[in-house]
Amino acid sequence: MKINLNEILYAVSFALDATEAEYYERIRNNGISVIGETSILRADNVRFSYKDHRNVVVTVGHSKRIAALSIVMGKALGLDDNKLIDLAAYAVLHDNALTEVIQEENQYKLYNNGIGYSDEDYNIRCATIGEKNTSLLPFRTNNRDVILLHNEHSDGSGPFGRHYENTPIKAQIIHLANSVDTHCDLTTITKENYTEICNYVRNNSGRLFSVEV
């Protein structure tokens, strides 16, 4: 029996959206604040967005948009079909440890006077656990450290201090796609937000993103 791994991953992505929506909806309904006093939450089945104390806004379909953007960039950079297939899969799974780390952080707060992880520690935990979660999946090409390093900045100011020349190209592509989707509204494309996207990428080229990507 042939199995289409990407279709399975898209199903997993949808399930994660639904699970996170239910998780945050329960928090709101029960009046429990586990993601910061400034949290903003809107949930409607799997259509939701939230803004946590790290000021990161995530909307439904985020992982799928990252996959689509990554494929376009991967093609432009000359990646072959096998690498593109793996790139799409890893883009879908780039935040696979998010809920796990949120729950882990909640437990950490219980023994740390309500203080959670620093932004750096949070990103490191997400990347480390996410890399471990995907390490045994049957992909076609070498994907070592793609999840682990997908938040690295080209100038070495990311969580692990890796410069772009020491960061896998797939990780760099996912980082750019992820950054654009979390800082700009890609749910609808207009002339205004197209300009915003171009300016964001241009202004951060050489700092967050390598010039090559």
Side-chain angles (χ1 to χ4, degrees):
M1 180 179 66
K2 292 184 178 180
I3 297 176
N4 188 318
L5 181 59
N6 277 352
E7 287 186 2
I8 293 175
L9 294 177
Y10 279 123
V12 170
S13 174
F14 182 86
L16 288 173
D17 279 350
T19 300
E20 289 179 356
E22 180 180 356
Y23 179 72
Y24 289 113
E25 182 70 0
R26 286 183 179 180
I27 292 170
R28 182 177 66 176
N29 290 340
N30 294 328
I32 301 171
S33 177
V34 298
I35 52 176
E37 293 299 326
T38 60
S39 299
I40 299 173
L41 172 66
R42 296 181 300 277
D44 178 13
N45 293 325
V46 296
R47 295 186 176 184
F48 75 102
S49 66
Y50 67 88
K51 181 175 181 179
D52 67 13
H53 58 294
R54 293 177 176 83
N55 293 318
V56 176
V57 176
V58 179
T59 55
V60 69
H62 171 68
S63 292
K64 297 179 183 67
R65 288 193 299 275
I66 302 311
L69 287 171
S70 295
I71 290 172
V72 171
M73 287 189 283
K75 285 183 177 179
L77 291 170
L79 299 188
D80 62 36
D81 288 346
N82 284 334
K83 290 180 180 178
L84 288 173
I85 290 171
D86 286 2
L87 176 62
Y90 269 77
V92 169
L93 293 171
H94 75 282
D95 274 341
N96 74 83
L98 179 63
T99 302
E100 186 174 352
V101 174
I102 289 173
Q103 293 174 335
E104 179 185 275
E105 184 181 28
N106 292 340
Q107 293 299 312
Y108 177 82
K109 288 179 179 179
L110 295 177
Y111 303 98
N112 195 38
N113 297 319
I115 300 173
Y117 293 150
S118 66
D119 287 351
E120 181 178 0
D121 288 341
Y122 179 86
N123 287 330
I124 288 174
R125 291 300 295 156
C126 283
T128 302
I129 295 174
E131 178 76 17
K132 180 180 178 181
N133 290 345
T134 57
S135 62
L136 297 179
L137 293 177
F139 292 108
R140 303 184 179 197
T141 61
N142 179 17
N143 297 292
R144 181 177 177 180
D145 293 344
V146 171
I147 298 294
L148 184 70
L149 301 177
H150 83 276
N151 285 317
E152 293 304 288
H153 300 162
S154 67
D155 64 359
S157 62
F160 294 98
R162 294 283 193 96
H163 288 79
Y164 74 92
E165 61 266 26
N166 295 316
T167 302
I169 189 64
K170 293 173 192 169
Q172 294 186 52
I173 291 171
I174 293 171
H175 174 51
L176 174 54
N178 183 48
S179 297
V180 168
D181 192 62
T182 54
H183 287 85
C184 306
D185 181 12
L186 299 188
T187 56
T188 57
I189 299 298
T190 64
K191 182 178 180 180
E192 288 73 19
N193 64 10
Y194 174 78
T195 301
E196 178 189 4
I197 292 166
C198 291
N199 289 337
Y200 173 73
V201 174
R202 189 179 300 112
N203 292 339
N204 289 287
S205 179
R207 186 175 70 87
L208 299 183
F209 320 121
S210 67
V211 176
E212 288 81 357
V213 174

